[in-house]
Amino acid sequence: MSRSRQPPLVTGISPNEGIPWTKVTIRGENLGTGPTDLIGLTICGHNCLLTAEWMSASKIVCRVGQAKNDKGDIIVTTKSGGKGTSTVSFKLLKPEKIGILDQSAVWVDEINYYDMRTDRNKGISPLSLRPANPLGIEIEKCKFPQKDLEMLFPGMSADFTSENFSAAWYLIENHSTTSFEQLKMAVTHLKRQANKKSEGSLAYVKGGLSTFFEAQDALSAIHQKLEADGTEKVEGSMTQKLENVLNRASNTADTLFQEVLGRKDKADSTRNALNVLQRFKFLFNLPLNIERNIQKGDYDVVINDYEKAKSLFGKTEVRVFKKYYAEVETRIEALRELLLDKLLETPSTLHDQKRYIRYLSDLHSPGDPAWQCIGAQHRWILQLMHSCKEGYVQDLKDIPGLHNTMLDLDNDVRPLVLGHLSQTASLKRGSSFQSGRDDTWRYKTPHRVAFVEKLTKLVLSQLPNFWKLWISYVNGSLFSETAEKSSQIERSKNVRQRQNDFKKMIQEVMHCLVKLIRGALLPLSIPEGGVRQYGGWEVKSELSGQWLTHVIQTIRLTYESLTALEIPSDMLQTIQDLILDLRVHCVVVTLQHTAEEIKRLAEKEDWIVDNEGLTSLPCQFEQCIIHSLQSLKGVLDCKPGEASVFQQPKTQEEVCQLSISIMQIFIYCLEQLSSKPDADVDTTHLSVDVSSPDLFGSIHEDFNLTSEQQLLIVLSNCCYLERHTFLNIAEHFEKHNFQGIEKITQVSMASLKELDQRLFENYIEMKADPIVGSLEPGIYAGYFDWKDCLPPTDAN
C-alpha cells in the first residue's frame, strides 16, 4: 500500500527564463516518489514530461518546449499527490534566428531535437544514459561517517557503476531509513527496468508506434496527391522531377554566389595569412633581431628570445616554422662560438669571464666552457711568466755594461703589494756599513731584482682571479639557476674529476715561478734540462746581501698574499723551499762580502793610538761584523711556516767555516801590518771614497812610527781582540742563532795566540839584535880554525 501524500509544490526554477529547449532545474516539495510516480509536467502550458528526469522528491530536470504563452507556471502532477501548484513562473524568450552567413559572437548550441507533438512517456530519459536513482524510490542520505563506511567495506565503493560496487554500502548510505515496503517497490522497479532492457529495440518501436503511423499516413497522403495531379505521366516520376529542380537550384545558387564566395575565400585566406604573420611575427623576425642584439651586445635579450622560441617551436611539425627555427639555431650556434672566443680571449677580467660562462651555460653550449676558460687562463699565466723572463734576458743582452744596467722602479716595476718595501729597504741599506753610495741607489735596482719584482707582481695580479674562477666553478655561482638545476649532477661529477687537474695547474704555476727565480738568482740549483727554459742570465757577479734581502722580503710578501687566498699550503711548499735556499745563499754571500771588507781594513789603519794603546782597527773590525749581522736579522728571523737557516748540517758547517775565515783574515791583516811598512801599503785597488786624501792625509803627514812601535801597537790590538773583541763577536753570533760558536771562538783564539806569540818573538828578536851585534865580535875573538893550520908532515 502506498501512503497518501500532499500535492506537489514548485518553489524554484533555474534559470527562470530562456529560449525553447533550455535545460532547467525545478525544485520544490512532494515532487514524486520516483520516475514512475511522475505523470505530468507543464511549463507555460507546454507538456515537458518527455524530457523530464526525476532526480529526487525535491528536484526535477527537464527542457522547456515551444509554448504559446510567453510566461506561465510550472505544474507537476504525480500519482501519489495529484496535480500541484507553483509559487514561481518561467519566462519564455523568442529565439534569435542566425543564418549561415550571419556572424555570431557566441557559439550556437546544437541540441538534440525532440518531437514534442505527442504526449508520450518513454521508458528511458534521453538526458542521461544512467539514472541517478536506480531503485526509483526517494533517496534519504544517512549521517554515517565516510571513514567508518570505508573501514566496513575495504576496497569497495557505493558507486553502482564501479566494478567494486557494494549494494550494502549503497543502501546504508542512501536508504538507511527507507521502509521495507518501499524497498519491495524498488525491487519491482528494478525488475521492470531489466525487462525493458531485455526487450531491446522492440521497446523503442512500441514507444514510438504512433510516430511510425503518422509517417505512414504522411507518405500515403503524398502518394495520393501525386496520383491526383498525374505528374507521373508528364515528365517522369515526381522524384526525378524534384531531383532535377534541386540540381538546377543548386547550380543557380553556385552561379549567383560563386564570385561572392570566391572573394570571401580569398579574403579569408588573406586574413588567415595576416593572422599567422601577426600571431607568429616573433618567430619570423627572430633571426634578424638576434643579429641586431648580438651587434649591440644585448646577449641577455638574445638568450631570453631563444628560450621562448625553443619552448614554442622546438618540436613543431609545421614546415615554415621549422625553417625559421632552423635559422634561429644557426644564429645561436654562431653566438655560442663568438662567446666562447671571447671567453678564451686573454687578458680578460673575472667579471667578463663569469658573464660569458653564464651566457654559454644558458645557451646549453656543448662541453664545459668554464673548464675551458680555466685551462686558457692557466696557459696565459705561464706564457706571461716566460715572456717576462725572455724580455728581461733580451734587455740584458741588448744593454752593454752589466754593472751599470739599472731599471727605473718608478715605471711600475714593483707590485702594488710590495710598494711599502722601498722605504724599508732604503732604511736597511742606509744603515749598512757601506755608506759611500750615491742616493740614486734608492731609485735604481739590478736587472735580476727588477725581474723578480715584476714576476711576483704578475703572479699576484693574475693568480687571485684564477683561484676565484675555480672557487666559482666549484660552488656553481658561474651558472644561472636554470642551467644549474639542469646540470647540477653532471657538474658535481666534473668537479670531483677535475680537482686533481686544477691542483696540478696551481702546482705548475708555483713550480714555474720558483724555477724562474732560481734561474735568475740560484742558477746552480736548476737541473741541466731546465737551464735553457728557466736560465739564460749571462751575468758573472753575485747580487749583494742587501739586494738578496730585498728579494727575500719580496717573495715573502708574495707567499703571504697567496696564503690569504686560502690556497692549500702543500701547493705553496715550493715557495717555502725557495725562500729557505735564498736565505742560506744570502747569509753566505753576506759573509763572503764581509770577508772582502775585512781584507780592506788593513788599508784603513791610521796608526792613531788612544790612551789604552789601541788604534781604531779592532773597533772597525767589530763594527763591520755587527753591521753584517744586523743586515741579516730579517733573513735569519723565521716567518710563520719557515724553517731555520741552520737546520741543515751542511749549512751550519759552511757558515762556521766562513765565520772562522773572517776571523783569520783579520788576523792575517794584523800580521801584514806588523811586518809591512806603511809606505809600502798598496792603495791602488781602493775605491775613491776610501782612498781619498781627506781620509789618509793625516797619516801621510804625521807618519813617523818605527817598526818596533808598529809591532807593539799590533800586539796591543791582539791583546784587546783576545780579551774583548772576539768575545763580543761571539755574543753577537749567539744572538743571531749561529751554530758552532765554540768552534769559531776556539779556532780564532788559537790563531790569534799563535800570531801574538810570533809577534812577541819578533819583537824580542828585534830588541836583542843590537846587543847581539855588539857582543858577537868579542865572542869570536881568538877564534881557532883548523883550516888555517898546515897539516903535519913526517910524522911517524
Side-chain angles (χ1 to χ4, degrees):
M1 293 177 60
S2 61
R3 297 176 296 177
S4 61
R5 290 178 176 271
Q6 295 181 358
L9 175 63
V10 176
T11 58
I13 184 171
S14 176
N16 58 5
E17 63 180 9
I19 63 175
W21 311 117
T22 299
K23 186 177 181 179
V24 295
T25 301
I26 301 171
R27 297 187 181 277
E29 300 175 359
N30 305 316
L31 300 183
T33 59
T36 57
D37 192 32
L38 182 64
I39 59 175
L41 174 61
T42 59
I43 300 177
C44 297
H46 187 273
N47 191 352
C48 300
L49 184 61
L50 181 63
T51 60
E53 183 178 0
W54 185 89
M55 307 300 292
S56 66
S58 59
K59 179 180 177 181
I60 296 175
V61 178
C62 69
R63 289 186 180 272
V64 180
Q66 293 181 350
K68 297 180 180 180
N69 302 328
D70 295 339
K71 191 174 183 179
D73 296 333
I74 301 95
I75 304 300
V76 176
T77 305
T78 62
K79 294 180 181 179
S80 59
K83 187 175 182 180
T85 58
S86 173
T87 61
V88 295
S89 60
F90 182 83
K91 183 178 181 180
L92 189 65
L93 303 178
K94 293 182 179 181
E96 181 181 359
K97 296 183 179 180
I98 301 175
I100 59 172
L101 298 181
D102 295 335
Q103 295 183 351
S104 175
V106 297
W107 182 261
V108 178
D109 187 15
E110 297 179 357
I111 60 176
N112 293 327
Y113 173 77
Y114 298 97
D115 189 1
M116 304 298 294
R117 293 174 298 172
T118 59
D119 185 10
R120 303 183 185 90
N121 184 12
K122 295 186 178 180
I124 300 177
S125 172
L127 298 180
S128 176
L129 296 177
R130 64 176 185 178
N133 186 7
L135 297 181
I137 59 178
E138 184 178 1
I139 295 177
E140 297 178 2
K141 292 286 184 179
C142 71
K143 298 182 180 180
F144 284 100
Q146 188 71 18
K147 292 183 179 180
D148 295 345
L149 292 174
E150 291 177 357
M151 293 177 62
L152 287 174
F153 305 99
M156 306 303 287
S157 173
D159 185 4
F160 54 84
T161 61
S162 174
E163 295 181 357
N164 300 324
F165 171 69
S166 173
W169 188 346
Y170 179 81
L171 291 175
I172 293 174
E173 187 177 38
N174 298 283
H175 300 284
S176 59
T177 60
T178 303
S179 64
F180 184 72
E181 294 296 332
Q182 287 186 332
L183 291 177
K184 289 174 65 176
M185 293 174 59
V187 172
T188 305
H189 176 74
L190 287 175
K191 290 180 179 180
R192 187 165 54 251
Q193 295 293 332
N195 292 332
K196 287 184 179 181
K197 285 186 178 181
S198 63
E199 292 177 0
S201 59
L202 182 61
Y204 292 96
V205 174
K206 290 180 179 180
L209 191 59
S210 60
T211 304
F212 296 143
F213 291 155
E214 290 180 357
Q216 178 65 28
D217 294 342
L219 291 175
S220 298
I222 293 172
H223 181 69
Q224 293 174 2
K225 181 67 174 174
L226 291 175
E227 286 182 350
D229 293 340
T231 53
E232 291 185 359
K233 302 177 182 179
V234 180
E235 296 180 357
S237 65
M238 184 63 182
T239 306
Q240 185 67 34
K241 181 179 178 181
L242 289 175
E243 182 180 358
N244 294 335
V245 171
L246 291 176
N247 288 334
R248 287 197 301 270
S250 175
N251 294 333
T252 304
D254 291 341
T255 304
L256 292 175
F257 292 99
Q258 184 175 7
E259 184 178 357
V260 176
L261 295 177
R263 290 199 302 268
K264 180 179 179 297
D265 293 340
K266 185 177 181 181
D268 291 341
S269 61
T270 304
R271 188 182 301 107
N272 291 335
L274 292 175
N275 290 335
V276 170
L277 290 175
Q278 182 65 23
R279 182 178 178 184
F280 302 104
K281 66 178 181 180
F282 165 74
L283 177 62
F284 299 143
N285 296 333
L286 188 55
L288 182 59
N289 291 335
I290 289 177
E291 194 69 28
R292 291 175 178 174
N293 290 325
I294 289 176
Q295 294 176 359
K296 292 189 295 183
D298 293 338
Y299 302 123
D300 289 316
V301 177
V302 175
I303 293 173
N304 291 335
D305 291 345
Y306 172 66
E307 289 294 337
K308 182 179 178 181
K310 186 177 181 181
S311 62
L312 294 175
F313 307 102
K315 298 180 180 180
T316 183
E317 297 297 332
V318 181
R319 183 180 301 176
V320 65
F321 292 165
K322 292 175 67 175
K323 177 180 178 181
Y324 275 88
Y325 184 74
E327 182 66 22
V328 171
E329 286 288 356
T330 303
R331 303 293 176 91
I332 293 299
E333 184 62 30
L335 176 60
R336 292 192 186 105
E337 296 177 0
L338 174 64
L339 292 175
L340 185 60
D341 292 340
K342 288 182 175 292
L343 175 63
L344 302 181
E345 184 180 299
T346 51
S348 179
T349 63
L350 180 62
H351 174 73
D352 290 340
Q353 290 172 347
K354 288 184 175 181
R355 189 161 56 94
Y356 293 140
I357 290 173
R358 190 171 294 110
Y359 290 153
L360 289 169
S361 177
D362 290 339
L363 291 174
H364 308 287
S365 179
D368 194 347
W371 181 251
Q372 291 177 345
C373 178
I374 292 174
Q377 194 71 12
H378 169 249
R379 293 188 294 272
W380 168 249
I381 293 175
L382 295 178
Q383 181 182 350
L384 286 179
M385 295 169 69
H386 285 287
S387 299
C388 179
K389 190 268 292 186
E390 295 297 334
Y392 274 89
V393 170
Q394 187 62 37
D395 190 19
L396 190 63
K397 293 179 180 179
D398 295 341
I399 303 177
L402 175 62
H403 297 286
N404 295 328
T405 303
M406 300 292 177
L407 289 178
D408 191 352
L409 283 182
D410 291 342
N411 293 330
D412 196 26
V413 173
R414 294 177 182 269
L416 295 177
V417 294
L418 304 175
H420 67 280
L421 284 179
S422 58
Q423 295 182 355
T424 306
S426 65
L427 291 175
K428 290 184 178 180
R429 289 192 290 267
S431 61
S432 64
F433 179 72
Q434 296 180 350
S435 59
R437 291 186 178 218
D438 187 76
D439 288 342
T440 55
W441 63 268
R442 299 189 182 190
Y443 308 99
K444 306 292 183 179
T445 187
H447 225 73
R448 288 176 291 170
V449 177
F451 161 70
V452 173
E453 291 180 341
K454 185 62 176 292
L455 184 64
T456 53
K457 174 190 174 181
L458 187 150
V459 172
L460 290 179
S461 63
Q462 297 294 329
L463 199 60
N465 288 340
F466 182 59
W467 181 258
K468 291 176 183 177
L469 184 64
W470 164 253
I471 296 299
S472 301
Y473 178 79
V474 171
N475 59 30
S477 61
L478 289 176
F479 310 94
S480 64
E481 295 182 0
T482 304
E484 183 179 1
K485 292 178 181 178
S486 62
S487 61
Q488 185 175 5
I489 299 177
E490 183 179 357
R491 192 179 67 254
S492 62
K493 294 180 181 178
N494 293 338
V495 169
R496 289 193 296 269
Q497 294 173 357
R498 287 166 177 166
Q499 279 181 346
N500 293 332
D501 295 337
F502 182 77
K503 184 177 180 181
K504 292 179 181 178
M505 290 182 181
I506 293 292
Q507 290 176 343
E508 187 175 358
V509 173
M510 295 298 104
H511 283 300
C512 182
L513 171 66
V514 169
K515 288 181 180 179
L516 287 174
I517 296 177
R518 287 183 180 273
L521 303 178
L522 303 172
L524 297 180
S525 64
I526 297 293
E528 294 183 2
V531 173
R532 182 176 181 182
Q533 184 178 5
Y534 301 103
W537 297 86
E538 298 178 359
V539 291
K540 298 180 180 179
S541 62
E542 284 285 354
L543 291 176
S544 65
Q546 287 83 3
W547 284 118
L548 287 173
T549 302
H550 174 74
V551 169
I552 291 171
Q553 182 67 6
T554 301
I555 299 176
R556 277 176 168 173
L557 290 176
T558 303
Y559 177 82
E560 292 176 3
S561 300
L562 295 177
T563 305
L565 295 175
E566 299 181 357
I567 298 178
S569 57
D570 58 334
M571 297 185 184
L572 304 177
Q573 185 59 41
T574 54
I575 299 182
Q576 286 284 21
D577 297 339
L578 171 65
I579 293 175
L580 178 60
D581 292 345
L582 285 176
R583 290 167 64 202
V584 172
H585 182 64
C586 180
V587 171
V588 172
V589 169
T590 301
L591 293 178
Q592 290 175 350
H593 287 183
T594 303
E596 294 297 327
E597 293 293 332
I598 298 299
K599 287 181 183 179
R600 292 194 288 268
L601 284 180
E603 293 125 13
K604 297 183 180 181
E605 178 61 89
D606 54 7
W607 300 106
I608 299 176
V609 182
D610 59 8
N611 295 331
E612 297 180 1
L614 303 174
T615 63
S616 62
L617 196 61
C619 184
Q620 292 184 25
F621 169 65
E622 183 177 351
Q623 290 298 319
C624 180
I625 293 181
I626 290 174
H627 281 297
S628 296
L629 294 178
Q630 287 178 349
S631 66
L632 290 174
K633 185 177 185 308
V635 177
L636 295 174
D637 291 341
C638 295
K639 299 292 183 181
E642 293 182 354
S644 173
V645 174
F646 304 108
Q647 68 173 357
Q648 296 293 335
K650 181 180 179 182
T651 305
Q652 297 177 10
E653 183 64 25
E654 185 177 5
V655 172
C656 182
Q657 291 299 327
L658 284 173
S659 303
I660 294 173
S661 175
I662 291 173
M663 299 292 199
Q664 291 179 341
I665 287 173
F666 184 69
I667 293 172
Y668 178 75
C669 289
L670 293 176
E671 185 177 1
Q672 293 296 317
L673 288 172
S674 66
S675 61
K676 193 172 185 179
D678 186 68
D680 296 338
V681 175
D682 184 12
T683 61
T684 57
H685 66 283
L686 297 177
S687 59
V688 176
D689 58 345
V690 177
S691 61
S692 62
D694 295 336
L695 184 60
F696 285 111
S698 60
I699 299 178
H700 292 292
E701 291 174 0
D702 301 332
F703 185 78
N704 54 2
L705 295 177
T706 63
S707 298
E708 295 178 1
Q709 291 175 330
Q710 292 182 4
L711 192 57
L712 283 175
I713 293 174
V714 172
L715 283 170
S716 177
N717 288 339
C718 288
C719 183
Y720 184 81
L721 287 172
E722 182 181 355
R723 295 179 180 178
H724 299 283
T725 305
F726 279 10
L727 297 178
N728 293 339
I729 292 175
E731 290 180 2
H732 283 285
F733 279 151
E734 185 176 1
K735 182 180 178 181
H736 289 84
N737 300 321
F738 273 57
Q739 303 296 319
I741 300 176
E742 246 181 73
K743 181 179 179 181
I744 297 172
T745 305
Q746 289 177 0
V747 174
S748 302
M749 287 292 188
S751 299
L752 183 62
K753 289 179 180 179
E754 183 181 349
L755 173 63
D756 183 76
Q757 183 65 29
R758 287 200 309 271
L759 293 180
F760 183 74
E761 291 176 357
N762 291 340
Y763 179 76
I764 295 299
E765 182 180 355
M766 190 178 298
K767 283 295 186 180
D769 279 346
I771 300 174
V772 172
S774 60
L775 293 178
E776 191 172 7
I779 293 174
Y780 293 101
Y783 178 74
F784 177 80
D785 193 354
W786 288 98
K787 294 180 181 180
D788 297 335
C789 298
L790 295 174
T793 57
D794 297 332
N796 293 320

